[in-house]
Amino acid sequence: MHHFQDLATAFTKKFDVDHFPAEPQTLYGPNRYFIGLGGKRIRPVMCLMGNELFEEILPDAWLVSNAIELFHNFTLIHDDIMDHAPLRRGMQTVHEKFGESTALLAGDVMLVAAYDYLNKVSGKYVFAINSLFNQTARQVCEGQQLDMDFEKRGDVKLDEYLHMITLKTSVLIAASLKMGAIIGGAGERNQNLLYEFGKKLGLAFQVQDDYLDAFGDPEKFGKKPGGDILSNKKTFLQIHALENTTGSEKKRLLELIAGNESNKVEETIAIYKSSGVDQWAESLKEKYIEEAYKHLDDIAVLSIRKKPLKELADFLLNRDH
Amino acid sequence: MHHFQDLATAFTKKFDVDHFPAEPQTLYGPNRYFIGLGGKRIRPVMCLMGNELFEEILPDAWLVSNAIELFHNFTLIHDDIMDHAPLRRGMQTVHEKFGESTALLAGDVMLVAAYDYLNKVSGKYVFAINSLFNQTARQVCEGQQLDMDFEKRGDVKLDEYLHMITLKTSVLIAASLKMGAIIGGAGERNQNLLYEFGKKLGLAFQVQDDYLDAFGDPEKFGKKPGGDILSNKKTFLQIHALENTTGSEKKRLLELIAGNESNKVEETIAIYKSSGVDQWAESLKEKYIEEAYKHLDDIAVLSIRKKPLKELADFLLNRDH
């Protein structure tokens, strides 16, 4: 069994091959550029860890890990087009550097490359893996569409936001773990428990992400706080605040969202604090972590095998214990 | 054995199901709209005919036909974004009607739906079918990228154009036939002959398409001639004319391409005629037809089985005999 850092190193090394033909360079160069920007490679490592929870890592898990990472990069390239994002990991996005049409096509062909890895999976698992992969890919697209739909609405409820975040973020984490479990020979019950663990982990991570944007330590966090507030992004914080403030506080919050006042970030954060959004978010994150761990605990393997997954969760969720 | 018209009718009926979940309607509605615009459904029918050349049509061929048609529609939705096309089949394109971001995502999830049909193919063929499908999808993307690259260049040679058109148009026709042949149990030699038949058929069809834009009968053709000339599209005609005119004729042709003179279409067509481009194109089309038929003739099945494919080719290539 391996620590996730060791698996991340091993994956990064194995993934460092050319996934595309040489020509046309105008199509594949942009994909090489984007993959070269790096990333934490969390999702493919989760597939490897899902496998190793039950069995030594098998060759199929490496194939599926490649597919997952290519899929994730495909979604980032296309999301960046939709979000008109100029930067990704501090570098130009594909559409900024190479134009929107090429970014669109480069993403398309990245998805095809992902499927080509999946096609090489052993016959025993290929149907189950592809079914879950397709379901997940569909859900991730649905999540992105809902995210765009919500941008135009001022009345998004917490359960709608939860549903969107689950699709857009959590299911890929959950499915990465489950695909590993399938390859590792896990029974259906264990597969599904691991999937639920991943889903809750994804939600806890998103709550934390939203929380840190408003309340994170700028030194530790590495970027100026309030980016989500400035761009009026729907977050756990904004939605809870809108649902739980009343009277003049709610009125002021709506004014701040509608306008671009110079103290928008500071005053929004002040309202979040006075209405207890920060504490609510902290306890919501803890709730999801507990639920995640409960599912992990229920998986019928020796608890020592679960240690690397717990370490990864603690690392992602910034927990020191 | 069936005529292609009968298979087209049967396919259209079978394809008329909902390929997508109900929600979110904002994502799947656009896909239903686009599929509802119809189309000749040539490629899926070719898959069925490729199967029936060797064997009764099997359930797998219907699955693959669905995948092919969804893939083709995915490419159209994304190509329309890249080409800024306002209309498709006389109706608004997806990005015109629903916005670019939704069109991008709708195309993505259409491709995923195509792969989900492929995943249901019997274990015996699933690897071969997916391999060919992935290779073809990659090539179609490459063709589209080359097409965009060529738009920026004035020195595209005939062999480069041929390569681009082969990727962008011919390989999907060829692969549709071959996927049917694989399911029909054809041997490798027969599969490859059918693939080459499809490739040459695709080229002949493209030559005809380019030819009709300049020389077609407007009454029969249903649209004003010269659309390609007005938009400076690279065509067999333009490239051959640029390679085979000299002196003042070539100079004038380059001026016409660079400008937007009121008689651009008429004068370009006049140069095409005086430099013999029309006859060259007609004989090039005949050459590809002959090569296509030679490959079809070489396939080792009773010639009566080839009749529907010959009829389809004659129909597509406007031949009355």
Side-chain angles (χ1 to χ4, degrees):
Chain A
M1 282 202 317
H2 300 86
H3 289 294
F4 70 88
Q5 291 98 334
D6 299 336
L7 289 176
T9 305
F11 175 77
T12 302
K13 208 173 149 191
K14 282 220 188 198
F15 192 64
D16 184 26
V17 293
D18 204 345
H19 303 280
F20 306 99
E23 294 291 335
Q25 168 66 14
T26 45
L27 177 62
Y28 295 119
N31 277 350
R32 291 189 194 96
Y33 162 79
F34 193 72
I35 287 178
L37 297 183
K40 292 192 293 291
R41 316 297 192 203
I42 294 290
R43 293 158 192 81
V45 168
M46 283 187 163
C47 172
L48 299 172
M49 294 175 81
N51 177 166
E52 208 176 25
L53 185 59
F54 302 97
E55 176 64 85
E56 258 182 55
I57 297 177
L58 296 162
D60 281 345
W62 294 100
L63 290 170
V64 175
S65 292
N66 279 351
I68 290 168
E69 186 60 17
L70 289 175
F71 173 80
H72 179 57
N73 279 273
F74 142 77
T75 65
L76 296 180
I77 292 173
H78 279 191
D79 283 4
D80 284 343
I81 300 175
M82 292 180 251
D83 298 343
H84 308 290
L87 297 175
R88 167 75 61 183
R89 311 192 207 287
M91 301 284 283
Q92 277 187 297
T93 47
V94 176
H95 65 97
E96 273 286 307
K97 197 171 164 78
F98 304 99
E100 285 203 9
S101 294
T102 289
L104 203 171
L105 264 181
D108 290 347
V109 89
M110 181 102 75
L111 179 57
V112 172
Y115 276 108
D116 214 37
Y117 279 113
L118 292 180
N119 191 37
K120 297 186 172 71
V121 169
S122 314
K124 194 172 164 191
Y125 304 118
V126 74
F127 177 77
I129 294 287
N130 273 278
S131 296
L132 179 55
F133 188 92
N134 290 337
Q135 171 196 303
T136 308
R138 212 162 45 224
Q139 289 174 322
V140 170
C141 291
E142 292 171 3
Q144 171 69 5
Q145 181 65 45
L146 290 176
D147 198 10
M148 297 191 302
D149 293 345
F150 290 175
E151 271 175 32
K152 297 174 205 138
R153 284 176 47 193
D155 61 344
V156 177
K157 296 290 162 217
L158 185 63
D159 61 342
E160 294 180 288
Y161 179 76
L162 256 176
H163 177 58
M164 181 276 282
I165 283 296
T166 302
L167 295 175
K168 190 174 164 163
T169 304
S170 291
V171 295
L172 184 56
I173 292 171
S176 299
L177 287 162
K178 184 171 171 175
M179 288 191 243
I182 292 171
I183 293 165
E188 218 172 296
R189 184 176 173 278
N190 283 343
Q191 287 175 23
N192 293 336
L193 285 166
L194 191 58
Y195 186 86
E196 291 304 316
F197 164 73
K199 240 164 86 172
K200 299 296 179 180
L201 189 68
L203 290 176
F205 189 76
Q206 186 67 46
V207 175
Q208 169 178 282
D209 207 48
D210 289 359
Y211 177 90
L212 288 177
D213 182 75
F215 302 109
D217 177 352
E219 298 258 324
K220 235 173 119 182
F221 193 42
K223 57 183 176 182
K224 257 173 74 179
D228 292 346
I229 294 170
L230 279 174
S231 64
N232 291 325
K233 199 169 167 283
K234 300 272 183 304
T235 62
F236 276 102
L237 311 183
Q238 193 206 61
I239 288 169
H240 182 77
L242 284 171
E243 282 189 356
N244 289 279
T245 49
T246 51
S248 62
E249 205 171 38
K250 176 154 188 176
K251 190 164 159 268
R252 184 68 191 129
L253 187 58
L254 288 168
E255 279 169 11
L256 285 165
I257 292 172
N260 271 311
E261 300 174 42
S262 62
N263 60 343
K264 179 168 176 160
V265 171
E266 293 71 21
E267 217 182 313
T268 303
I269 291 177
I271 294 178
Y272 285 173
K273 278 188 178 161
S274 69
S275 58
V277 170
D278 50 346
Q279 282 157 26
W280 169 81
E282 286 185 80
S283 65
L284 185 65
K285 178 181 154 188
E286 284 307 316
K287 183 183 92 111
Y288 288 137
I289 293 177
E290 268 177 44
E291 289 176 4
Y293 278 20
K294 185 162 180 340
H295 286 114
L296 187 62
D297 288 342
D298 281 354
I299 295 175
V301 296
L302 286 181
S303 64
I304 193 162
R305 299 197 78 93
K306 301 175 186 171
K307 219 179 145 206
L309 274 172
K310 283 191 172 150
E311 284 171 359
L312 174 59
D314 286 345
F315 169 75
L316 289 175
L317 298 168
N318 243 324
R319 285 152 59 101
D320 297 325
H321 60 89
Chain B
M1 283 204 314
H2 299 87
H3 290 294
F4 70 89
Q5 291 98 334
D6 299 336
L7 289 176
T9 306
F11 175 77
T12 301
K13 210 173 148 193
K14 282 221 188 198
F15 192 63
D16 185 25
V17 293
D18 204 344
H19 303 280
F20 306 99
E23 294 292 337
Q25 168 66 15
T26 44
L27 177 62
Y28 296 118
N31 276 351
R32 292 189 193 94
Y33 163 79
F34 193 72
I35 286 178
L37 296 184
K40 293 192 293 291
R41 316 299 192 200
I42 294 290
R43 292 158 192 80
V45 168
M46 284 188 163
C47 172
L48 299 172
M49 294 176 81
N51 177 167
E52 210 177 22
L53 184 60
F54 302 98
E55 177 63 86
E56 257 181 57
I57 297 177
L58 297 162
D60 282 344
W62 294 100
L63 290 170
V64 174
S65 292
N66 279 352
I68 290 169
E69 187 60 16
L70 289 174
F71 172 80
H72 179 57
N73 279 272
F74 142 76
T75 65
L76 296 180
I77 292 173
H78 279 190
D79 283 3
D80 284 344
I81 299 175
M82 292 180 251
D83 298 343
H84 308 289
L87 297 175
R88 167 74 62 181
R89 311 192 206 290
M91 302 285 283
Q92 277 187 295
T93 47
V94 176
H95 65 95
E96 274 286 306
K97 198 172 164 77
F98 303 98
E100 285 203 8
S101 294
T102 290
L104 203 172
L105 264 182
D108 290 347
V109 89
M110 181 102 75
L111 179 57
V112 172
Y115 276 107
D116 214 36
Y117 279 113
L118 292 181
N119 191 37
K120 296 186 172 72
V121 169
S122 315
K124 195 172 163 189
Y125 303 118
V126 74
F127 177 76
I129 294 286
N130 273 281
S131 296
L132 179 55
F133 188 92
N134 290 339
Q135 172 197 303
T136 308
R138 212 162 45 223
Q139 289 174 322
V140 171
C141 292
E142 292 170 3
Q144 172 69 6
Q145 181 65 43
L146 289 177
D147 198 9
M148 297 191 301
D149 293 344
F150 289 175
E151 271 175 32
K152 297 174 206 140
R153 283 178 44 195
D155 61 343
V156 176
K157 297 291 162 218
L158 184 64
D159 62 342
E160 292 179 288
Y161 180 75
L162 256 176
H163 177 59
M164 181 276 282
I165 283 296
T166 301
L167 295 175
K168 189 173 164 161
T169 304
S170 290
V171 295
L172 184 55
I173 293 171
S176 299
L177 288 162
K178 183 171 172 177
M179 287 190 243
I182 291 170
I183 293 165
E188 218 172 297
R189 185 175 171 277
N190 283 342
Q191 286 176 23
N192 293 336
L193 285 167
L194 192 58
Y195 187 87
E196 290 304 317
F197 164 74
K199 240 164 86 172
K200 299 295 179 180
L201 190 68
L203 290 176
F205 190 76
Q206 187 67 45
V207 175
Q208 170 178 281
D209 208 49
D210 290 358
Y211 177 91
L212 289 176
D213 182 76
F215 302 110
D217 177 352
E219 300 257 325
K220 235 172 118 182
F221 192 43
K223 56 181 177 183
K224 257 172 74 178
D228 292 346
I229 294 170
L230 278 173
S231 63
N232 292 324
K233 199 169 165 287
K234 300 273 184 305
T235 62
F236 276 104
L237 311 183
Q238 194 207 61
I239 287 169
H240 182 76
L242 284 172
E243 283 190 353
N244 289 277
T245 50
T246 51
S248 63
E249 205 171 36
K250 174 151 189 178
K251 188 164 159 268
R252 183 68 190 130
L253 187 58
L254 287 168
E255 278 170 12
L256 285 164
I257 292 171
N260 271 311
E261 300 173 41
S262 63
N263 60 342
K264 179 168 175 161
V265 171
E266 294 72 20
E267 216 182 315
T268 303
I269 291 178
I271 293 177
Y272 285 174
K273 279 188 177 159
S274 69
S275 58
V277 171
D278 51 346
Q279 282 158 25
W280 170 81
E282 286 184 82
S283 65
L284 185 65
K285 178 181 154 188
E286 283 308 315
K287 182 183 94 112
Y288 287 137
I289 294 177
E290 267 177 45
E291 290 176 3
Y293 278 20
K294 181 157 184 341
H295 286 114
L296 187 62
D297 288 342
D298 281 354
I299 295 175
V301 295
L302 286 181
S303 64
I304 193 162
R305 298 197 79 92
K306 301 173 186 172
K307 220 180 143 207
L309 274 172
K310 282 191 173 152
E311 285 171 0
L312 174 59
D314 286 345
F315 169 75
L316 289 175
L317 298 169
N318 244 323
R319 286 151 60 102
D320 298 326
H321 60 92

